[in-house]
């Protein structure tokens, strides 16, 4: 019976090597497409999880500081999330009132801009007559109800998006607490999917990447806080 030899394995040379890499590439791309498709379908969970990873990297030093003060890991994580929520609420309370205060001035300026526009159209270089300007005002008044209906329709369409945003925010808070409390255990669980020989390298890569990301985000958070205090 015919038995292939080592020489026959190499009979295709470079063509065989290219064929081998080609099917590996196709399998890898297929797997990547499947993974991306699954992530898109699970975006309601994936997006809060990614946000929780980013937020927990910023809040982790506060949790570690509370632990060093003698608090249990769970209590420290909960207090960290509560502090973060309080800071967010304080930021909203500081930023929103000035915006609402200036909203009336903006509305008055917008109304006055219409009169300035009509005066500009009445002068050079347009030189529109009063009758033409009045016709423009009439057309704008007739289009106002349609614009109002369009805004109402848009608001109704945006309602489900707003509900989803609130749900995403709540889920992000919960996941952030879980990551602060047991993020290291979850990471060790994920490492279990890899071969034992590859775990040390993957662990080092993941820890290094996370620490770099945490340092960058913490620096950005400090700069944003200083800028906010300076503006206020």
């Amino acid at each position: 019976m015919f038995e292939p030899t080592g020489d026959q394995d190499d009979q295709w040379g470079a063509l065989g090597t290219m064929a081998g890499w080609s099917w590996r590439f196709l399998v890898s791309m297929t797997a990547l497409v499947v993974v991306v498709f699954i992530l898109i379908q699970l975006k309601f969970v994936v997006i809060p999880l990614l946000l929780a990873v980013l937020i927990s990297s910023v809040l982790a030093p506060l949790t570690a500081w509370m632990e060093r003060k003698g608090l249990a890991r769970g209590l420290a994580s909960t207090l960290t999330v509560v502090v973060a929520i309080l800071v967010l609420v304080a930021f909203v309370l500081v930023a929103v009132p000035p915006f609402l205060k200036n909203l009336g001035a903006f509305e008055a300026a917008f109304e006055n801009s219409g009169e300035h526009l009509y005066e500009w159209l009445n002068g050079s270089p347009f030189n529109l007559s009063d009758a033409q300007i009045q016709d423009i005002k009439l057309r704008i008044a007739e289009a106002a109800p349609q614009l109002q209906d369009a805004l109402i329709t848009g608001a109704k369409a945006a309602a489900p998006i707003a509900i989803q945003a609130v749900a995403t925010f709540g889920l992000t808070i919960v996941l952030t607490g879980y990551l602060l409390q047991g993020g290291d255990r979850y990471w060790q669980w994920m490492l279990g999917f890899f071969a034992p020989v590859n775990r040390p390298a993957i662990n080092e890569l993941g820890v290094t990447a996370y620490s770099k990301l945490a340092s960058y985000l913490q620096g950005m958070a400090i700069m944003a806080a200083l800028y906010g205090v300076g503006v206020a």
Side-chain angles (χ1 to χ4, degrees), residues 47-231:
I47 294 177
L49 180 58
L50 294 177
L51 293 175
V53 170
L54 298 177
I55 296 173
S56 63
S57 67
V58 177
L59 300 179
L62 180 58
T63 303
W65 177 80
M66 291 183 181
E67 283 190 275
R68 290 194 297 269
K69 295 299 181 180
L71 295 180
R73 184 70 175 270
L75 180 58
S77 303
T78 303
L79 290 178
T80 300
V81 174
V82 171
V83 169
I85 294 175
L86 292 177
V87 170
L88 180 61
V89 172
F91 173 78
V92 172
L93 294 178
V94 171
V96 171
F99 174 77
L100 295 178
K101 182 179 180 181
N102 294 327
L103 191 61
F106 174 77
E107 182 179 359
F110 181 76
E111 293 177 353
N112 294 331
S113 65
E115 297 299 329
H116 292 308
L117 176 62
Y118 297 139
E119 294 178 0
W120 180 55
L121 293 175
N122 195 16
S124 178
F126 298 98
N127 296 320
L128 297 181
S129 63
D130 293 338
Q132 290 174 317
I133 293 177
Q134 190 63 30
D135 182 65
I136 293 175
K137 291 183 179 180
L138 181 61
R139 291 179 182 273
I140 293 176
E142 292 176 351
Q146 299 177 0
L147 179 60
Q148 184 178 4
D149 293 339
L151 292 175
I152 294 175
T153 303
K156 292 180 179 179
I161 300 177
I163 295 175
Q164 184 177 358
V166 173
T168 300
F169 177 76
L171 186 56
T172 300
I173 292 176
V174 174
L175 292 175
T176 300
Y178 277 113
L179 290 178
L180 289 173
Q181 181 178 0
D184 50 350
R185 296 197 301 269
Y186 300 144
W187 175 244
Q188 294 300 323
W189 173 76
M190 291 179 61
L191 288 177
F193 289 97
F194 298 94
V197 67
N198 296 327
R199 290 174 189 172
I202 296 175
N203 180 63
E204 183 179 358
L205 177 63
V207 171
T208 302
Y210 184 79
S211 62
K212 297 297 183 182
L213 175 65
S215 300
Y216 173 76
L217 293 177
Q218 290 164 12
M220 293 294 293
I222 294 173
M223 292 297 296
L226 294 176
Y227 178 77
V229 172
V231 171

